[in-house]
Amino acid sequence: MILPSAIFFQEEFDKLAQSCQETPYALAVLDRDLRYVQVNEPMAALNGKPVEQHRGRTIREIDPGVASAVEPLLRHAMEEGKPLLNLESEVSRSPAADAPDIHYWLISCYPLKSEDGTVVGVGAVVRNITEQKLKDSIQNERLKFEALLSDLSAAFINVPVGEVDRKIEQGLEKIAEFLEFDRCSIWQFSPEDGPLRMTHSYALPGISLPPPVVDEQVPVWTNMVRRGEMFKVADVDQLPDKLWREKKYCREQGGIKSFLFIPLNIGGTVFGLLSFASYRVKRTWPDVLIQRLRLLWEIFGNALERKRADQRMQTALAEIEQLKNRLEAENLYLRDQIDIEQKHEEIIGQSVAIRKVLLQVEQVANTDATVLLLGETGTGKELLARAIHNLSGRRARAMIKLNCAALPSTLIEAELFGREKGAYTGAMATQIGRFEAANGSTIFLDEIGEIPLDLQAKLLRVLQEGQLERLGSPQPIEVDVRIIAATNRDLSKAVKEGRFREDLYYRLNVFPISVPPLRDRREDIPLLVWAIVREFGSVFGKTIERIPKKNMEALECYLWPGNIRELRNMIERAMILSNSSTLVVDLPDNSPTSTSQNMSLEEMERMHIVSIMERTGWRVRGKNGAAEILDLKPTTLDSKMKKLGIKRTVGRYEIS
């Protein structure tokens, strides 16, 4: 009876639908002849036909490709009378279908039995896993490509420079086989913007290698490379007319169908390209593929840069050998020339304060003790550091200096301790630091208070153990360096505030020297003025014969917050403006608000008493004496001068 049979199959279909209601599976119920009895919409969509066209028709009538894959599974389930669960099957759809030809289905088959146990049909539950299979395939391909890149990268570790070219060509061969390219090539510009030359290439058997130079054959492409532009074409025949030379080149090369090149960039400079050609098929160049090929260049580029660096080093060594004898012969002349150029920086002064400093310099120079120069900016701390070095046993080698405040914290570590190639992005070569350059000599660290806290431990290690590590290397390097540090900061205060390591401070403070400000050595001002005048007179071609007495006295009374540097700048300006043999130096407003902002009350009082004493010729008593001008009793002035440590020396004063 038809009716009971239809009811039976409908009930079985409803059971399948009920069991799969949580997921949109494709469902079908078929009779023993594998004719569709019931299908749902997802199954109809898989077959590409409406639901009503399925009933009463066999699987093969609907789609022969589906029948070839599915019928054996359904028959097996009916014959065995047991379900077949989650079987993966590759389904080749008929060419008339709009969907892709190959699909992947996950199929479960359930035999349908009557009340007496007879198998009267079969139910099918299908899940289309084509998209997931494609994703898995792409993921597997990506993992394989990454493994290939890893193998290529490992192949270049510690490879001798002479083996780099062979390893690169082997790498190109592996890439061509993996990605099914027909030819892969590396091109590099010759030095000094020369032609583009092919340096490495691999081609499948039967395909010729490209010519070594192609600038005239593909001028548009060459110019694009120089500008750092990438180019890709899936069909060479579709190239525009302006690329007629490039189209001709592809034809003459044996019929290139598709072509891609990627500029090679190192440190912002384009020095070549990586090219790929397809002869057998026309192929597209998706962005994902191009990104992978750029990773490939990172491996080859680093190897080529190492080779280029080695070649540069060999060339440099040859040049050094040629220049060695000449430099040795010129060494004495160069030292004399340096002395001449720095003559204006000789320490000038006869004051007690500067003589005390020079005595300390002589005492410490012949030792290897660390020296800490303390003083305001512009007082000549670097000049004293050079004096210590020139009086030491290390004077045969140049003193190395570094201003710790002049470099950003991100660079000061590499500058001090050096770096290895690849220590960070852009570190294309190994660089020794200032400490290694100063090995056997002296290093002058100006503005030591500005060194970052995290680097102070490494500096402490150099002081304690004479060892350092380059950035990017755990290998310790022994150095023999004498350290002279300078600062205009109060390091003891910085230690209390946690901005400077206490242990480093005590290591640096072995032999501190306080450099006096210019206001504490006023008797040296005339000597300094005339020395600077002679220097700039030679530079500007001017002769100065006199400086007015009142002007010189004004220079001596000025407080000089910028110290010798300010004095030098003022005289230079005056020399530029001077049109006669008499020099007048214009001073800024010398009012207390403008020149004494950084002085203590005691210092201001001392400076005022000294200026009055000098104005009176150091006469305390009597009419127009210092006591009268200051409106003090002579005995009070005497005791105040004693308290402030003011006493007269030969023609001047000193502060005890």
Side-chain angles (χ1 to χ4, degrees):
M1 297 289 292
I2 297 177
L3 186 58
S5 178
I7 293 173
F8 171 82
F9 285 120
Q10 182 64 49
E11 290 175 348
E12 294 298 324
F13 180 84
D14 291 341
K15 291 178 183 178
L16 287 177
Q18 181 67 28
S19 65
C20 300
Q21 63 180 354
E22 297 296 330
T23 54
Y25 288 160
L27 307 177
V29 171
L30 304 98
D31 60 18
R32 285 196 62 86
D33 297 324
L34 297 183
R35 294 180 181 276
Y36 287 106
V37 179
Q38 290 284 351
V39 298
N40 65 356
E41 289 291 346
M43 177 60 79
L46 280 182
N47 288 331
K49 296 185 183 301
V51 172
E52 56 271 17
Q53 291 186 16
H54 284 71
R55 294 189 182 95
R57 299 177 67 184
T58 65
I59 299 176
R60 191 165 298 278
E61 289 174 341
I62 296 295
D63 193 321
V66 173
S68 299
V70 174
E71 281 184 357
L73 303 178
L74 298 173
R75 293 189 187 283
H76 186 273
M78 289 191 295
E79 291 170 2
E80 295 293 326
K82 296 179 181 179
L84 297 178
L85 303 177
N86 296 326
L87 299 178
E88 184 176 316
S89 180
E90 181 177 306
V91 179
S92 298
R93 299 292 307 279
S94 61
D98 295 331
D101 291 339
I102 303 298
H103 283 251
Y104 295 91
W105 290 1
L106 195 65
I107 304 173
S108 294
C109 305
Y110 301 88
L112 306 179
K113 299 179 181 179
S114 62
E115 292 181 357
D116 60 2
T118 303
V119 175
V120 296
V122 64
V125 179
V126 179
R127 183 160 65 95
N128 188 357
I129 60 171
T130 304
E131 184 176 350
Q132 183 61 44
K133 288 287 288 186
L134 290 175
K135 289 181 179 179
D136 293 342
S137 176
I138 293 172
Q139 177 70 2
N140 290 335
E141 183 182 358
R142 184 179 66 83
L143 293 175
K144 290 179 181 178
F145 188 81
E146 290 177 354
L148 175 61
L149 290 180
S150 178
D151 292 340
L152 289 175
S153 181
F156 286 98
I157 296 177
N158 297 326
V159 66
V161 173
E163 292 289 310
V164 168
D165 291 335
R166 186 175 64 85
K167 289 289 185 181
I168 288 178
E169 292 188 350
Q170 290 177 350
L172 291 176
E173 180 178 358
K174 291 179 179 179
I175 290 295
E177 292 175 354
F178 183 85
L179 297 176
E180 298 182 352
F181 294 149
D182 297 324
R183 192 172 75 191
C184 307
S185 305
I186 292 177
W187 306 73
Q188 299 182 60
F189 288 112
S190 300
E192 299 180 359
D193 204 28
L196 190 64
R197 293 185 177 274
M198 187 271 292
T199 57
H200 307 80
S201 188
Y202 170 79
L204 294 180
I207 296 176
S208 61
L209 295 177
V213 180
V214 294
D215 285 38
E216 295 183 358
Q217 295 167 277
V218 289
V220 176
W221 284 349
T222 302
N223 290 331
M224 290 179 66
V225 174
R226 292 187 188 276
R227 295 193 300 268
E229 299 175 11
M230 183 195 72
F231 184 84
K232 60 181 179 178
V233 58
D235 186 353
V236 169
D237 292 335
Q238 302 300 317
L239 287 174
D241 293 339
K242 67 177 183 179
L243 297 176
W244 66 271
R245 291 187 182 88
E246 284 71 17
K247 186 184 293 186
K248 178 182 177 184
Y249 168 81
C250 292
R251 188 166 54 249
E252 292 175 346
Q253 280 294 297
I256 297 175
K257 289 184 171 62
S258 303
F259 190 71
L260 164 71
F261 68 72
I262 303 172
L264 309 181
N265 188 309
I266 290 183
T269 301
V270 176
F271 74 93
L273 65 88
L274 188 60
S275 69
F276 305 93
S278 176
Y279 284 76
R280 294 170 293 178
V281 297
K282 296 177 182 178
R283 63 181 301 162
T284 58
W285 308 99
D287 292 341
V288 173
L289 174 62
I290 293 173
Q291 291 173 4
R292 292 178 180 176
L293 295 176
R294 290 187 188 278
L295 295 176
L296 171 68
W297 165 239
E298 292 292 331
I299 298 172
F300 291 159
N302 288 334
L304 287 172
E305 180 59 23
R306 184 157 64 90
K307 178 184 175 183
R308 288 155 67 99
D310 183 80
Q311 291 172 341
R312 289 194 297 267
M313 183 182 70
Q314 296 301 327
T315 302
L317 290 174
E319 292 176 355
I320 290 171
E321 187 65 24
Q322 293 174 2
L323 294 172
K324 181 179 178 182
N325 295 333
R326 189 178 72 183
L327 290 175
E328 289 178 349
E330 293 176 351
N331 189 39
L332 182 59
Y333 165 78
L334 291 174
R335 290 184 188 174
D336 292 342
Q337 187 66 25
I338 291 172
D339 288 340
I340 292 171
E341 292 175 356
Q342 295 179 349
K343 190 172 182 180
H344 63 275
E345 293 184 346
E346 289 177 350
I347 300 172
I348 297 170
Q350 298 176 355
S351 64
V352 173
I354 198 64
R355 288 204 304 269
K356 179 182 177 181
V357 169
L358 292 177
L359 177 61
Q360 291 177 302
V361 167
E362 292 174 359
Q363 290 173 330
V364 77
N366 281 323
T367 72
D368 282 335
T370 300
V371 179
L372 180 61
L373 299 174
L374 305 168
E376 298 175 5
T377 181
T379 53
K381 296 187 289 296
E382 181 178 343
L383 182 59
L384 289 172
R386 189 180 295 112
I388 294 171
H389 173 72
N390 290 337
L391 291 172
S392 73
R394 299 172 180 262
R395 59 184 173 272
R397 297 193 60 189
M399 181 181 77
I400 304 299
K401 62 182 180 178
L402 177 69
N403 189 327
C404 299
L407 291 173
S409 58
T410 53
L411 295 181
I412 192 170
E413 181 177 5
E415 196 67 26
L416 276 174
F417 306 109
R419 68 164 190 244
E420 292 291 341
K421 178 183 176 182
Y424 52 83
T425 303
M428 303 304 296
T430 298
Q431 172 185 305
I432 67 169
R434 299 293 179 96
F435 271 105
E436 286 185 70
N439 192 24
S441 184
T442 304
I443 188 168
F444 174 55
L445 300 177
D446 199 7
E447 303 296 342
I448 189 68
E450 304 298 329
I451 193 167
L453 194 62
D454 56 340
L455 293 184
Q456 293 177 19
K458 295 189 73 172
L459 179 57
L460 181 64
R461 182 183 180 188
V462 178
L463 282 165
Q464 289 180 331
E465 304 172 13
Q467 288 186 344
L468 59 86
E469 292 175 1
R470 289 178 184 166
L471 191 63
S473 170
Q475 184 67 33
I477 298 174
E478 301 281 345
V479 290
D480 175 24
V481 180
R482 198 253 185 94
I483 296 177
I484 301 175
T487 183
N488 58 12
R489 290 195 172 196
D490 186 347
L491 290 186
S492 60
K493 182 180 178 182
V495 170
K496 293 177 182 177
E497 294 174 350
R499 293 182 289 105
F500 201 85
R501 290 179 63 107
E502 185 177 21
D503 47 3
L504 178 59
Y505 170 69
Y506 289 123
R507 279 284 179 178
L508 292 172
N509 201 36
V510 174
F511 195 91
I513 298 178
S514 295
V515 185
L518 189 55
R519 61 180 174 272
D520 287 349
R521 40 183 297 214
R522 294 175 180 273
E523 56 267 55
D524 292 336
I525 290 178
L527 297 174
L528 290 166
V529 168
W530 280 111
I532 298 171
V533 165
R534 286 191 294 271
E535 175 197 344
F536 286 117
S538 175
V539 173
F540 300 140
K542 296 181 179 181
T543 301
I544 301 299
E545 297 178 354
R546 63 183 295 273
I547 299 174
K549 182 179 179 181
K550 288 186 177 181
N551 191 219
M552 185 64 78
E553 289 175 350
L555 292 174
E556 292 179 66
C557 292
Y558 182 63
L559 295 180
W560 299 111
N563 295 293
I564 298 174
R565 183 178 295 121
E566 184 182 10
L567 173 65
R568 177 182 171 83
N569 292 342
M570 284 191 181
I571 294 175
E572 181 181 12
R573 179 179 182 275
M575 290 288 292
I576 294 172
L577 297 174
S578 177
N579 294 317
S580 68
S581 60
T582 298
L583 182 69
V584 177
V585 182
D586 293 328
L587 291 172
D589 181 16
N590 197 26
S591 64
T593 57
S594 64
T595 59
S596 306
Q597 292 178 352
N598 297 323
M599 295 182 65
S600 67
L601 181 61
E602 182 178 301
E603 288 175 323
M604 292 179 64
E605 189 176 21
R606 181 187 296 117
M607 291 298 100
H608 184 56
I609 292 175
V610 168
S611 66
I612 297 299
M613 292 296 293
E614 290 184 335
R615 202 167 78 190
T616 62
W618 289 85
R619 185 163 58 87
V620 175
R621 293 165 174 79
K623 186 173 179 60
N624 295 324
E628 181 180 304
I629 295 173
L630 292 169
D631 196 22
L632 294 172
K633 292 181 180 180
T635 54
T636 302
L637 180 56
D638 286 338
S639 62
K640 188 173 286 291
M641 290 174 63
K642 184 176 181 180
K643 179 182 177 181
L644 294 173
I646 300 173
K647 58 183 179 180
R648 186 179 184 179
T649 60
V650 181
R652 292 290 171 185
Y653 74 95
E654 71 177 45
I655 300 173
S656 58

